[in-house]
Amino acid sequence: MNIKVLQKDVDDWIQNHGVRYFNELTNMAQLTEEVGEVARIIARRYGEQSEKESDKQKDLGEELADVLFVVLCLANQTGVDLDSAFYKKLNIKTERDHDRHQNNEKLK
């Protein structure tokens, strides 16, 4: 899976099936909503909360894909090349955090 391809796939979908991109503030609200749905599944399925019967059929992968879709929309409409941004961030994290987590007693 290539992020550039995903960004183009989302843009093609918007052009062919959507009317237009929602504005950035609307998409930010959508992203928050979708992250909340992921949090609900994680909290109830893997955390200490009881899972409601209505939540047991929720698909975590589908909800994560919703988050990704909105992130890709935001990147497209703000001119962010997520592929470049991701690898730039990964390099920063690699340099900054290489020993940090290795020496974290909480992770042992």
Side-chain angles (χ1 to χ4, degrees):
M1 184 182 332
N2 179 301
I3 297 173
K4 287 181 189 286
V5 172
L6 291 177
Q7 280 190 251
K8 183 172 181 338
D9 288 347
V10 166
D11 192 61
D12 289 346
W13 188 91
I14 296 291
Q15 302 306 318
N16 293 309
H17 302 284
V19 175
R20 61 170 174 75
Y21 285 94
F22 295 133
N23 68 41
E24 295 84 355
L25 289 174
T26 300
N27 272 335
M28 188 61 228
Q30 280 290 132
L31 179 59
T32 303
E33 180 181 333
E34 298 300 349
V35 168
E37 292 176 13
V38 169
R40 180 182 182 107
I41 292 171
I42 296 291
R44 292 170 189 228
R45 197 164 296 163
Y46 303 101
E48 296 174 338
Q49 289 186 333
S50 299
E51 192 168 24
K52 292 181 179 178
E53 204 56 46
S54 61
D55 289 337
K56 289 182 179 178
Q57 300 306 314
K58 302 266 184 193
D59 182 339
L60 179 59
E62 187 177 323
E63 298 305 333
L64 287 167
D66 285 342
V67 170
L68 180 59
F69 184 89
V70 179
V71 167
L72 293 165
C73 285
L74 283 164
N76 284 349
Q77 67 193 133
T78 58
V80 172
D81 177 346
L82 269 181
D83 193 67
S84 295
F86 178 83
Y87 286 106
K88 179 180 176 183
K89 179 53 77 172
L90 189 60
N91 286 333
I92 290 168
K93 290 176 77 56
T94 299
E95 290 175 18
R96 181 189 67 204
D97 298 337
H98 178 72
D99 292 329
R100 178 175 153 216
H101 299 298
Q102 303 275 337
N103 300 323
N104 183 344
E105 291 298 319
K106 295 182 217 174
L107 298 176
K108 293 185 179 188

